[in-house]
Amino acid sequence: MLTVLFLTFFVLLIVNMPIAFALGIAAATTLLVDDTLPINSIVTRAFVGVDSFTLLAIPFFIIAGELMNACGITERIVAFARSLVGHIRGGLAHVSIVSSMFFSGISGSATADASALGSMMIPAMKKNGFDADYAVAVNASSSAMGPIIPPSIMMVIYGSIANVSIAQLFLGGFVPGLMVALGLMGMAYYIARRRNYPAPSRSELPPVIPAFRGAAWALFMPVIILGGIFSGVFTATEAGVVAVAYAALVGTFVYKTLTFKLVGELLVDAAVTTAAAMFLIAMATSFAWLLAWAGFGAAVLDVLGGISTNPTIALLLILIFILILGLFIEGIPILIIFTPVLLPVILGLGIDPVFFGVILVMAVVIGSVTPPVGILTYICCAIAGITISQAFRGLVPFCAVLIAILLLCAVFPVFIMSVPTLLGH
């Protein structure tokens, strides 16, 4: 069964079949060939996969991100980031990274960060004398903070599948997200010095206080969302509704940029994005169910047990496996397929599922940066007008930083679990 399932799936990927259809067709083909289970099992499992109250947070966070972006918050956040770090060597690179960190607290999506900020920062960096490969590498790698810094759509998906506290997952992402930002800024500074990139003086940059006032309404949004979740006022799903209401009020009465026509267009875009995401989740759930039914999880546990019984070594092996998969498969399918398969494995190893969830999201999102499939790199390359091969030289050091921080967090769980433990979640 497993042979047919994987063989069909990878053949379909090779012929460039969209991954959602590849997952569904592979599952259906396996059931037809094996003839052990009824073919309608796929429909049942697909429905079960999306029949979750927790997953309602996804369309609401998507809509909230669309509304806030339409309000012009990207420009305001970038202006505030410029006032803070624009004077450092390689100024616009640091502005891009800090802007991504702030934007991550609003969108919860890496692709949203790459599209919104990349379309603004990459042309600006090229215009100011930065090489295109450097601009792509900085923006693609910094967009990876989107699913790590809360709120995070990927963490919502993992929490729904693993049945663990989304509040704990969000809290666990704070320190790793900050580590990624600092690590990327360090690498950006090092390369900027080697390539002799300039930085404007403080007198050429906007003052901090006025820039903060312009971005304050946008920056306050994650405070409301996370404060409400962590205080127990509302759940992560209800937080999505609050985020939409807040974005609509700010856009209408504060920034005064939202119109009925624009809101209608944004709702259509959000509906299309949500439908695509839910279809992908449904198909990936069917695929994951077949993996579990065929005993793939037990086989993984046996292999890991044969190599080492040390939980840290086993976790590192799992992460290497996920990173390799990320070279060829998009992030959300990996998360949905392997969470139910790996969860019994990590529980058997005595690994905390919240800690594992944050680590898994970090590993999956790195795959969104690394070629040949890395969607974030494709988005940024399209904006910069260069190919993946042309961007490769610039990507390597930044991907190395992301992987180093992932391994550091895997070996020292305190980086992830300190905030949830400190705040009693």
Side-chain angles (χ1 to χ4, degrees):
M1 176 179 281
L2 287 175
T3 302
V4 175
L5 186 65
F6 281 118
L7 183 61
T8 307
F9 175 63
F10 283 110
V11 167
L12 291 173
L13 284 185
I14 291 170
V15 300
N16 227 12
M17 175 76 69
I19 192 164
F21 290 99
L23 290 167
I25 293 172
T29 302
T30 302
L31 290 182
L32 288 172
V33 171
D34 188 83
D35 200 28
T36 304
L37 298 169
I39 188 69
N40 61 5
S41 301
I42 294 178
V43 179
T44 304
R45 301 312 304 181
F47 177 79
V48 169
V50 295
D51 184 25
S52 168
F53 177 76
T54 305
L55 292 181
L56 280 174
I58 295 176
F60 286 115
F61 280 129
I62 290 173
I63 295 170
E66 293 273 6
L67 289 173
M68 291 299 283
N69 195 36
C71 294
I73 63 160
T74 304
E75 293 82 359
R76 291 177 170 89
I77 287 176
V78 169
F80 179 50
R82 283 191 69 208
S83 71
L84 293 176
V85 298
H87 62 284
I88 303 173
R89 170 82 69 154
L92 286 178
H94 302 294
V95 171
S96 180
I97 294 166
V98 173
S99 297
S100 287
M101 185 174 66
F102 290 144
F103 207 76
S104 297
I106 297 171
S107 69
S109 166
T111 53
D113 290 10
S115 301
L117 290 171
S119 60
M120 182 176 180
M121 294 304 304
I122 292 175
M125 290 179 71
K126 290 176 65 180
K127 184 179 179 180
N128 282 271
F130 293 87
D131 294 320
D133 68 318
Y134 181 75
V136 166
V138 167
N139 284 273
S141 58
S142 62
S143 296
M145 287 185 282
I148 300 173
I149 295 176
S152 164
I153 291 175
M154 281 193 179
M155 288 184 184
V156 170
I157 294 173
Y158 174 85
S160 173
I161 298 172
N163 196 27
V164 298
S165 169
I166 293 175
Q168 284 189 317
L169 291 169
F170 282 1
L171 286 172
F174 271 115
V175 174
L178 183 60
M179 291 170 66
V180 168
L182 293 174
L184 293 178
M185 288 182 72
M187 182 56 69
Y189 179 80
Y190 171 74
I191 296 176
R193 283 185 63 89
R194 288 192 60 185
R195 299 191 185 185
N196 199 30
Y197 291 141
S201 64
R202 279 194 177 275
S203 60
E204 300 176 70
L205 301 174
V208 175
I209 300 302
F212 173 74
R213 287 173 182 162
W217 286 100
L219 297 174
F220 193 60
M221 183 175 174
V223 176
I224 293 176
I225 295 172
L226 301 177
I229 294 173
F230 300 150
S231 64
V233 175
F234 42 72
T235 65
T237 303
E238 293 162 346
V241 181
V242 173
V244 171
Y246 179 81
L249 290 172
V250 169
T252 303
F253 298 108
V254 179
Y255 296 148
K256 298 180 180 179
T257 54
L258 290 183
T259 63
F260 282 110
K261 180 181 178 181
L262 180 59
V263 170
E265 293 172 354
L266 294 176
L267 289 176
V268 170
D269 291 342
V272 172
T273 303
T274 301
M278 288 302 179
F279 181 68
L280 180 57
I281 291 171
M283 294 299 98
T285 301
S286 297
F287 192 95
W289 170 71
L290 274 179
L291 280 183
W293 191 85
F296 185 76
V300 171
L301 187 58
D302 288 342
V303 170
L304 292 175
I307 298 173
S308 174
T309 56
N310 185 303
T312 301
I313 294 176
L315 178 61
L316 292 176
L317 292 173
I318 291 173
L319 293 178
I320 292 170
F321 172 67
I322 296 297
L323 288 172
I324 293 172
L325 276 179
L327 297 174
F328 309 102
I329 306 175
E330 294 175 21
I332 288 180
I334 294 177
L335 192 68
I336 298 168
I337 292 169
F338 288 99
T339 292
V341 171
L342 294 175
L343 201 60
V345 176
I346 64 107
L347 291 175
L349 294 168
I351 298 173
D352 188 294
V354 172
F355 164 70
F356 179 71
V358 177
I359 284 289
L360 182 60
V361 167
M362 291 176 68
V364 162
V365 80
I366 289 172
S368 299
V369 181
T370 51
V373 172
I375 184 64
L376 301 180
T377 302
Y378 272 107
I379 291 171
C380 292
C381 281
I383 295 169
I386 64 174
T387 64
I388 291 286
S389 59
Q390 290 173 316
F392 187 79
R393 180 176 72 104
L395 278 170
V396 171
F398 289 95
C399 288
V401 169
L402 293 174
I403 293 172
I405 293 171
L406 169 68
L407 298 178
L408 191 63
C409 290
V411 174
F412 300 102
V414 66
F415 289 123
I416 291 174
M417 299 306 296
S418 57
V419 177
T421 303
L422 182 65
L423 296 183
H425 279 271

